[in-house]
Amino acid sequence: MYLLLQHIPLWFMSTKPDRRMESISRHSLFRDNKLFSLSPSLSHYHTKPWTSMVGVAAPPRARPEKIQAIDLPVVDLSRRSEAAGRIVAACEKYGFFKVVNHGVPWELVASVEEQGLMFFNKPSADKLKAGPANPYGYGSKNIGFNGDIGEVEYLLLGANPNLFDMSQRAKSISNHDPEKFSWAMRAYIAALRDVVCEILELMAEGLTMADGSAFSRMIRAADDDSVLRLNYYPPLSSPPIAIGRDRRKEAVGDSKVGFGEHSDPQILTVLRSNDVDGLQISLEDGVWIPVPADPIALWINAMTNGRFLSVRHRVLTNPNKMRMSVAYFAAPPLHARIASPPELVTPQRPALYRPFTWAEYKSTAYSLQLSDTRLNLFRMA
């Protein structure tokens, strides 16, 4: 399993409700399948579907590309005495690292993969009964609201048991054994939440935060906004598509783009895939680093007030094998107030962004393309 930590800035997050949000429930964010844009006045909304909120692909950039293989950092959670330092060092240099000995049982991982494959192997007409993904459900090929197309099918599920009825939703997803599907997803979400909180607490320790649970507390909140997404990338069945200005010279080998270049807006993403390669990250324009498939590991990436890198990533399909991944997008409650922790603000490294709520950031992020510059709207003068 890999832990991909794609994030909003990991600043101090207070779960005390913002007064502007007290009269607004989570479900009032949607009306007639439209998403409200929670501006400071809370007076207008954008009509962006939820499917566009979890990893929207940015348009291909017109530039040559090259593949560069490097050894990505590994953090062993069983060696806690050195884990905190390794996490901070990895985030500062790469914004991405592999986690091993994370404690998620293999039997549970295998059960989630089995349930996912049983769904994606169903006839299209049966899968469509679980959609559209608005806000949760099944989607295919269409990614986000900018016309991006990818060779991917996905199933988006709520990860907060207080706000999402997995048992009820499972009835439209699994006609074989909905109770088994529901159990597997709920147990997996609970296990990943524990891993996420451990990582965030180690991160706080490595950053010498006075409050070691400042980050993890928002994920453990009763009204956290986390989601789970299952992704299915079929094997290549048609000529490969290209990326870049010269489509004759810059084709992506024998692969097609499954999920285009993007970053995720949530605090972090816990990503696990089967044994098929396809995930790539980019630390500089035009250079892609393959992430070797490892079914028993997780990947992570994060940032604090601009201190950690925010890595962009994409997924390519495999010419001969299907790829399946499961991503847990950890997010705080909508009313959580986000601000730089005092420990991370110095004269040499001042606060870069004004405080805001997760609802403000989320709605703003999804009204734009999910580029690394979206935080500029909150940058302090």
Side-chain angles (χ1 to χ4, degrees):
M1 242 179 252
Y2 293 104
L3 217 59
L4 173 66
L5 205 66
Q6 271 309 122
H7 51 280
I8 59 175
L10 282 180
W11 304 328
F12 173 73
M13 303 200 180
S14 168
T15 55
K16 181 178 180 181
D18 188 296
R19 286 193 296 271
R20 293 175 297 173
M21 295 297 295
E22 288 176 354
S23 63
I24 299 177
S25 70
R26 171 184 302 264
H27 300 291
S28 69
L29 290 172
F30 296 92
R31 179 180 299 164
D32 298 328
N33 295 328
K34 296 176 180 179
L35 169 72
F36 280 80
S37 175
L38 295 173
S39 65
S41 66
L42 302 175
S43 62
H44 65 281
Y45 61 92
H46 294 290
T47 57
K48 305 299 185 186
W50 180 275
T51 52
S52 68
M53 293 187 158
V54 186
V56 176
R61 299 181 181 180
R63 63 179 183 269
E65 294 184 354
K66 68 177 180 178
I67 302 298
Q68 177 182 327
I70 66 172
D71 292 328
L72 294 166
V74 179
V75 174
D76 186 342
L77 290 184
S78 69
R79 305 178 68 173
R80 190 177 178 90
S81 61
E82 60 185 49
R86 287 183 176 273
I87 287 172
V88 171
C91 288
E92 289 179 331
K93 186 174 182 179
Y94 298 99
F96 192 80
F97 60 91
K98 180 178 179 177
V99 171
V100 297
N101 292 322
H102 44 71
V104 181
W106 170 250
E107 294 78 11
L108 179 56
V109 173
S111 179
V112 169
E113 182 170 310
E114 177 188 33
Q115 292 298 313
L117 288 176
M118 287 178 64
F119 172 77
F120 289 119
N121 285 331
K122 293 167 67 173
S124 295
D126 290 342
K127 287 185 285 190
L128 289 173
K129 295 176 182 177
N134 193 13
Y136 303 111
Y138 169 74
S140 176
K141 294 186 181 291
N142 293 313
I143 304 171
F145 49 82
N146 291 320
D148 294 292
I149 302 295
E151 293 299 319
V152 61
E153 298 178 40
Y154 55 89
L155 186 62
L156 189 64
L157 305 168
N160 186 331
N162 299 317
L163 302 168
F164 181 81
D165 190 340
M166 189 71 75
S167 297
Q168 183 63 34
R169 177 67 64 166
K171 295 177 182 178
S172 65
I173 295 172
S174 173
N175 50 16
H176 174 68
D177 192 342
E179 290 187 6
K180 187 175 182 179
F181 178 93
S182 176
W183 175 87
M185 299 304 151
R186 286 187 285 108
Y188 191 63
I189 288 169
L192 291 188
R193 182 181 292 114
D194 287 343
V195 173
V196 165
C197 291
E198 181 178 3
I199 292 291
L200 292 176
E201 288 167 6
L202 285 167
M203 193 175 294
E205 178 183 331
L207 292 168
T208 64
M209 301 270 298
D211 184 355
S213 61
F215 299 150
S216 62
R217 188 164 49 244
M218 59 191 168
I219 304 304
R220 296 192 188 279
D223 52 351
D224 74 283
D225 195 38
S226 304
V227 297
L228 186 78
R229 190 180 70 204
L230 285 68
N231 303 306
Y232 177 79
Y233 303 93
L236 183 64
S237 58
S238 58
I241 63 175
I243 295 178
R245 289 176 294 181
D246 190 337
R247 293 180 177 269
R248 294 168 299 176
K249 296 181 180 180
E250 296 172 10
V252 187
D254 294 325
S255 299
K256 298 178 71 172
V257 175
F259 209 110
E261 179 182 349
H262 67 283
S263 61
D264 305 326
Q266 286 79 9
I267 296 167
L268 60 85
T269 302
V270 183
L271 182 67
R272 182 265 169 188
S273 74
N274 63 357
D275 59 354
V276 177
D277 292 339
L279 178 63
Q280 298 179 339
I281 66 170
S282 178
L283 300 177
E284 59 180 298
D285 282 354
V287 179
W288 290 95
I289 300 168
V291 178
D294 186 343
I296 61 172
L298 300 168
W299 282 104
I300 303 189
N301 151 341
M303 140 179 111
T304 56
N305 194 35
R307 180 170 173 177
F308 291 172
L309 297 179
S310 179
V311 73
R312 299 181 68 80
H313 52 286
R314 70 182 184 186
V315 178
L316 304 182
T317 61
N318 185 283
N320 305 307
K321 301 178 181 178
M322 73 84 192
R323 172 184 167 87
M324 182 177 162
S325 65
V326 181
Y328 172 73
F329 299 91
L334 292 170
H335 58 71
R337 183 177 181 274
I338 304 168
S340 301
E343 297 92 333
L344 301 185
V345 178
T346 66
Q348 295 74 30
R349 185 176 284 145
L352 299 179
Y353 309 98
R354 67 170 178 81
F356 50 83
T357 65
W358 165 239
E360 287 181 275
Y361 179 83
K362 174 179 172 180
S363 113
T364 300
Y366 296 124
S367 68
L368 306 169
Q369 293 181 351
L370 295 186
S371 65
D372 292 337
T373 60
R374 60 187 178 269
L375 273 169
N376 282 351
L377 293 177
F378 299 94
R379 184 176 285 273
M380 297 176 67

